[in-house]
């Protein structure tokens, strides 16, 4: 009944996006704890704050990309649903990939905590965030079907 109205669909979409963004932010926030960084931060390493900023930038870029892709036809068949559009399934896959990447980076940095690794991974994250952010900006110009 109420689900057929376009306004109710927009509200549902907004609530789902809020929850996905919250999950992504919580995952990025909890990554150092999962990797064991929170236990013993004995010696501060140069580049750690840069890496943390890059994690936040990548999380925000992916959230923006998911938000601007929602309900539109998805070119990536791995992220498209049964109807060829980006939706909950694609957003969860995207969330899993990004969260998994953060955990792997944290585990690598736990073993090899050096300025070189922090800055190298920050460069990778910022590069990925710029490409993903560019895709999100492009998606703004694509009309919903």
């Amino acid at each position: 009944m109420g689900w057929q109205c376009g306004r109710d669909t927009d509200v549902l979409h907004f609530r789902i996006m809020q929850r996905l963004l919250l999950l992504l932010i919580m995952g990025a926030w909890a990554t150092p704890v999962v990797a064991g960084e929170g236990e013993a931060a004995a010696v501060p390493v140069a580049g750690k704050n840069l890496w943390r900023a890059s994690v936040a930038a990548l999380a925000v870029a992916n959230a923006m990309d998911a938000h601007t892709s929602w309900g539109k036809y998805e070119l990536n068949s791995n992220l498209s649903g049964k109807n060829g559009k980006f939706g909950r399934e694609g957003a969860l896959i995207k969330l899993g990939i990004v969260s998994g990447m953060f955990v792997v980076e944290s585990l690598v940095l736990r073993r090899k905590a050096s300025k070189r690794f922090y800055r190298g991974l920050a460069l990778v994250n910022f590069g990925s965030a710029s490409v993903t952010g560019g895709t999100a900006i492009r998606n703004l110009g694509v009309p919903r079907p």
Side-chain angles (χ1 to χ4, degrees), residues 53-99:
S54 73
V55 166
L58 187 56
V60 168
N62 275 283
M64 285 177 46
D65 182 40
H67 178 70
T68 58
S69 297
W70 199 276
K72 297 177 182 176
Y73 289 108
E74 178 62 45
L75 296 176
N76 184 348
S77 61
N78 296 319
L79 298 178
S80 63
K82 295 172 189 152
N83 58 0
K85 296 180 183 177
F86 184 83
R88 186 177 1 168
E89 299 88 8
L92 289 174
I93 291 170
K94 184 180 263 300
L95 176 70
I97 291 169
V98 173
S99 299

Side-chain angles (χ1 to χ4, degrees), residues 46-61:
K48 185 183 272 190
N49 288 335
L50 180 67
W51 175 74
R52 287 179 178 164
S54 73
V55 166
L58 187 56
V60 168

